[in-house]
Amino acid sequence: MNAFAFSSLLIFLFSIGLVFFLCIKGKKDKITTLWIFVCSIASIWGLGGYKFSTTISKEVAFFWWQIAYISVIFTPVTFYHFVYTFLKLNKKYYKYILLLVYVLGVIFLIFNFFIPSLFLGDLRLIFNQFWFLDWLKKKNILYLLFYISFYCLLWVC
């Protein structure tokens, strides 16, 4: 097992453990529920990272990259939602921005699963250990748009 697989497995185990702990012992309020979603999303990344870094097959690795990218897409969305709810920031336009980022998340999720070659690109074997995304091979405009739209929008708001 390589270091990336080991760290991904730890992310999965601790995140899913926290989800179970909060479901059993946590308060039943909106903040706890949102944090459960954030931890669930992190556990998806951990599971996907473990699976794509331990497989030999390029096709299987690409599938697990798609699964892991569910987390990459929805981590900024759920964390944004959590922070604004936790801090009780009730700006007028908050609900509209929240709706916009969830809609963007769904759009990029559709790209992730239905047009993966334009979104994720291709894979290449690195360190002779695991398959990693090769963004430069296809010069993915959708991938660049994803990062610019999400992180700039959330950073500004």
Side-chain angles (χ1 to χ4, degrees), residues 9 16 32 44 48 66 76 78 91 103 117 119-120 129 132-133 141 147 151:
L9 184 60
I16 205 72
T32 306
I44 292 171
Q66 287 178 295
T78 55
K91 294 183 179 178
V103 167
S117 63
F119 184 64
L120 293 176
Q129 291 184 351
F132 199 76
L133 292 177
I141 191 71
Y147 276 103
Y151 293 103

Side-chain angles (χ1 to χ4, degrees), residues 30 84-95:
K30 189 173 184 175
Y84 268 80
T85 304
F86 181 74
L87 296 177
K88 298 177 182 166
L89 299 175
N90 293 321
K91 294 183 179 178
K92 269 186 184 178
Y93 56 88
Y94 163 66
K95 291 178 184 177

Side-chain angles (χ1 to χ4, degrees), residues 99-151:
L99 178 64
L100 176 64
V101 294
Y102 273 106
V103 167
L104 279 173
V106 170
I107 289 170
F108 287 117
L109 187 68
I110 290 169
F111 287 148
N112 182 36
F113 284 106
F114 294 106
I115 316 172
S117 63
L118 288 178
F119 184 64
L120 293 176
D122 199 10
L123 299 179
R124 64 184 168 95
L125 192 63
I126 62 169
F127 307 121
N128 205 20
Q129 291 184 351
F130 61 93
W131 295 96
F132 199 76
L133 292 177
D134 188 4
W135 302 289
L136 298 176
K137 188 174 185 180
K138 292 192 178 186
K139 297 179 181 58
N140 302 339
I141 191 71
L142 287 176
Y143 194 77
L144 180 63
L145 180 65
F146 162 69
Y147 276 103
I148 290 172
S149 66
F150 258 22
Y151 293 103

